[in-house]
Amino acid sequence: MSGLVRDKEARFVWDLEKGARVLDPAAVRLVPDTSSGLIDTKLHLAAAFRATPTTTRRPLTLGRAAIDDLTFVNAG
């Protein structure tokens, strides 16, 4: 499936995400992050970033350091 999101083309590979489904934006309930300094949101985003496979063969870098694949992220 492909589509446009904010003038950017996106492609979704449904075979890779068995539980994926299209959501109705009007039915989504947003929950405010009440943690100090939005730490819960930051931790969630960091975990999601590390769990997402890259779409390029180049190493991911953050600032001047390459991001290592952490063994505990892939355990299980």
Side-chain angles (χ1 to χ4, degrees):
M1 176 181 189
S2 65
L4 289 177
V5 177
R6 292 189 182 188
D7 299 325
K8 302 285 183 184
E9 183 177 354
R11 294 182 186 262
F12 302 93
V13 183
W14 295 104
D15 292 342
L16 298 178
E17 294 291 339
K18 301 296 185 198
R21 65 187 191 281
V22 176
L23 298 176
D24 175 6
V28 174
R29 186 175 64 91
L30 299 177
V31 179
D33 182 354
T34 58
S35 65
S36 176
L38 301 174
I39 193 69
D40 289 346
T41 297
K42 292 174 184 176
L43 288 171
H44 174 78
L45 291 174
F49 177 71
R50 288 191 176 273
T52 303
T54 63
T55 57
T56 179
R57 292 190 178 272
R58 297 180 59 216
L60 293 175
T61 57
L62 182 61
R64 296 183 184 166
I67 298 174
D68 295 331
D69 186 23
L70 302 176
T71 56
F72 70 86
V73 172
N74 298 317

